[in-house]
Amino acid sequence: MNGTDAIVLNIKEIRRRSIKVWQAIPDDKLDWKPDKEAMTCIEMVRHVLESEYYYHLAIENLGSLKEFDSPFEKRPLQSIKDELEFAASYHQQFLDMITTFSEEDLTNIKIDRSDVGYIRSLGDMLMRIGYHESVHAGQLLQYLRIMEVDRPRIWD
């Protein structure tokens, strides 16, 4: 397994486990949040899906975007199922893009996000994208705990 294959596997596994967490959120708790400053459950799911789309474009752009027209932005927040169905093709395009990179690309291509404080190699950036989703999965597991909702078994 090369680095690109490992990154794709990691992203697929993160998404598989995120979906388990997301689907454990009861429909009547989608708008729940622990405090007024936090995202609701469904807003956090949207944030993860939309961020992946942004990061995909940023990688293609080799850095932050000056303008970002999100296909997610004007869609109403309805359900986890709706969010996943809408994002499915974007997620697949992201995975397909990753498979086009060589081992050398992972090290040699630089993604310039100096506007937010970093310039990283493509491999590092791809791992950060997975980490971002993982952090939010952990946050939602904590939300479920606070709401006293059964949490899914993600360590299968």
Side-chain angles (χ1 to χ4, degrees), residues 22 25 41-49 80 83 140:
W22 300 343
I25 304 165
C41 295
I42 197 162
E43 286 171 341
M44 196 176 304
V45 172
R46 166 75 60 89
H47 168 74
V48 167
L49 298 172
I80 300 300
E83 291 296 306
L140 282 170

Side-chain angles (χ1 to χ4, degrees), residues 7 10-11 51-60 62-65 94 97-98 101 105-107 109-116 118-133:
I7 290 169
N10 188 51
I11 289 172
S51 293
E52 182 182 79
Y53 177 74
Y54 176 88
Y55 290 138
H56 179 171
L57 297 178
I59 289 168
E60 289 181 340
L62 300 178
S64 296
L65 306 174
F94 178 61
M97 177 194 64
I98 296 169
F101 296 121
D105 290 340
L106 297 177
T107 302
I109 293 175
K110 301 299 181 209
I111 308 301
D112 184 348
R113 298 208 64 219
S114 51
D115 59 308
V116 292
Y118 63 87
I119 299 171
R120 296 286 189 257
S121 69
L122 173 62
D124 182 318
M125 184 70 189
L126 291 168
M127 295 301 287
R128 285 169 180 261
I129 293 166
Y131 181 71
H132 173 258
E133 182 167 330

Side-chain angles (χ1 to χ4, degrees), residues 70-86:
S70 172
F72 292 83
E73 191 174 331
K74 293 185 172 113
R75 297 186 79 248
L77 292 165
Q78 295 179 16
S79 69
I80 300 300
K81 181 178 185 257
D82 181 64
E83 291 296 306
L84 287 170
E85 286 174 357
F86 181 76

